[in-house]
Amino acid sequence: MKIRIRPCSCRRHRGQNVKGPAAGDGGSYIRSSRLHVPRIILSVFVFLLGIDAAAAENLPAQTIVVFNTAVPDSEALAKFYAGKRAIANDHLVGLDCPPQEEISREEYDATIAEPLRKIFEQRQWWHVHEAADGEKRVQTLGIHFVALIRGMPLKIRPVATPYQGDTPGGGPIQSRNEASVDSELSVLGLFTRQISGMVPNPYFQGFRPVAEVTAAPLLLVTRLDAPGSATVRRMIVDAVEAEKNGLWGRAFVDGSHETSGGKEVGDAWMRAIVDQCHKEGVPVVFDDLPTIFPDAFPMSDCALYYGWYAGNIAGPFNQPGFKFVPGAIAAHIHSYSAATLRDENSGWAGPLVSRGAAATVGNVYEPYLELTAHLDILNDRLLHGFTFAESVFMSSRVLSWMGVAVGDPLYRPYLNWTQIDSKASPKSAAGWRDYHDFAIKNSDLEPSDYRTQARITAGRTRHAAMLEDVGLMEMRDGKFSTAIAALEQARGAYSKRDDIIRCVLEECDAFIKSGKPNRALDLARRVLRIVPESPASNLLHKIESDLTPKPAP
């Protein structure tokens, strides 16, 4: 398998999408750096678990919760989570680990991997057969989800000296032996000493519950972690509540308008997310400029966020008072987005959950773009009702690598979305639900017919979010006059200042793209005269400044 390597540097940087085996197709639990691995190791990890549909839905019975006995509050958080998810007490596992986020390979082996393997055998969570040649093979597996609790180490630093049983290879992947603790634990059942390179993920691009896949033993590991314990508790509560009521709100997607040099793949992920959301009736604001969403951009009711590529959290997220809607999923691609989870202003993972997100993904060390979570697959699987853990692992091409997923592994924000009783949903969700229902009922229409019908329906009901979304779809299709008309209707239907300003910004953009900058200037000035000043108003002032004719020298 050839992989083009593109580091996720501090610049917006992309790579080529390379497909791996889909779930159900088998797949191989071998590291790419060990092309000489005996065939028997490949074959013993491909088998049918034979779990029926009812068992597949009994998620708490397939879940263990792992905490650090050396860290205050880790056990209390574990019990809190187990209580919310009805996970049995004997599925809580306390390990005596170093309290630091970064540990050595020896510490990982001695305090995490080996103790867990013994517990799995003692509690009969798996059955292991030891062959005559000494190779250990997992024959049956009863645990599929692992929740690591705040206090568990995050990453394993590189080994500089020879490690018994490891055969490093050449190149930027095969020579690497650092990893996230979480990704390393996902292949705990390999019983291998090979730490260099990565393991191709047989669940990548899958579309079935993990209990039904043919490749095993695979543990879907996520962590409930954040800069503070209170944030972890809030993440747990928000996930459970959002699962009951539905996750409602807008998606904000931040592309960068890359079209060549292999960099276009990252933007392709973002565009795919936009299309996925439109099909489900999730309103989307898509920014395809090279820069990220600007400071003070009115990012209201944000339920989904996907973007790239800044080193630390920036843009609207740093505005005082910014909060995601409860249960939100948010992810920003960067090489070291999850290098630490203990600082609410460093990287992206910790800051995103600190600002209200319930779940995110990131990287603890340089992963290379192709080997990060494919956000389009992640979003698609979430929208189809899979758990957060399943969605993350189906979007991850490799294991025993640098990725980490932060959030409740069992969280299913869109489970049985169309079956949610509208009367039981919060009153505030009615408008979002109406758009979702419209999208599902009219999914067979041609795009132009869909937009026309959507605008008629939204105009009749004064559905502001739907009108705005239709306007943005028309603008993406180059239909600027129709886009401007829909956005003007949306502006008139909104009541909140930030929503109105966002629509004005979008209208101005449509005027400028259609060669009518004077119309944009006039609109910005008119709105500034009647809308109270706010941080978002600065973006209108910038339009006014940029478009105002400069006096001749």
Side-chain angles (χ1 to χ4, degrees), residues 69-221:
T69 60
V71 174
D73 204 32
S74 188
E75 182 176 3
L77 287 173
K79 291 180 177 178
F80 181 79
Y81 173 64
K84 291 293 183 181
R85 284 297 186 186
I87 296 170
N89 288 335
D90 63 358
H91 279 220
L92 273 65
V93 177
L95 300 177
D96 186 4
C97 311
Q100 295 81 17
E101 286 190 295
E102 186 174 60
I103 60 174
S104 68
R105 178 62 64 168
E106 289 73 19
E107 288 171 322
Y108 168 77
D109 289 343
T111 68
I112 299 178
E114 289 310 316
L116 267 181
R117 286 188 178 115
K118 291 178 181 178
I119 291 171
F120 263 72
E121 191 157 1
Q122 291 168 357
R123 301 189 187 183
Q124 298 185 346
W125 291 337
W126 66 21
H127 291 88
V128 177
H129 173 73
E130 186 168 352
D133 60 2
E135 292 285 347
K136 292 184 177 181
R137 301 154 190 154
V138 175
Q139 293 185 314
T140 61
L141 180 65
I143 296 298
H144 297 288
F145 301 92
V146 179
L148 301 181
I149 300 298
R150 184 176 185 270
M152 287 295 295
L154 175 67
K155 54 188 179 180
I156 307 167
R157 71 175 66 96
V159 174
T161 57
Y163 182 85
Q164 184 179 1
D166 180 49
T167 306
I173 294 179
Q174 291 87 342
S175 61
R176 305 273 298 280
N177 60 44
E178 66 267 43
S180 74
V181 167
D182 311 43
S183 190
E184 201 67 52
L185 281 176
S186 69
V187 292
L188 186 72
L190 259 62
F191 292 95
T192 178
R193 298 281 294 178
Q194 175 66 31
I195 62 173
S196 295
M198 50 72 177
V199 176
N201 178 11
Y203 199 33
F204 178 55
Q205 297 180 320
F207 204 84
R208 289 192 292 170
V210 66
E212 297 178 5
V213 302
T214 58
L218 175 63
L219 299 176
L220 308 189
V221 184

Side-chain angles (χ1 to χ4, degrees), residues 351-385:
L352 287 172
V353 296
S354 294
R355 287 155 176 79
T360 187
V361 294
N363 306 292
V364 298
Y365 301 113
E366 170 62 64
Y368 306 117
L369 180 64
E370 295 89 342
L371 307 186
T372 62
H374 292 217
L375 297 186
D376 57 333
I377 299 177
L378 171 64
N379 185 68
D380 176 79
R381 300 311 188 264
L382 288 170
L383 289 173
H384 279 89

Side-chain angles (χ1 to χ4, degrees), residues 413-443:
Y414 296 104
L415 173 67
N416 296 327
W417 204 4
T418 58
Q419 278 72 50
I420 295 176
D421 185 354
S422 297
K423 295 180 181 178
S425 299
K427 187 177 180 180
S428 59
W432 309 111
R433 175 60 189 263
D434 289 344
Y435 188 18
H436 169 66
D437 289 345
F438 173 88
I440 298 301
K441 291 175 183 177
N442 294 277
S443 60

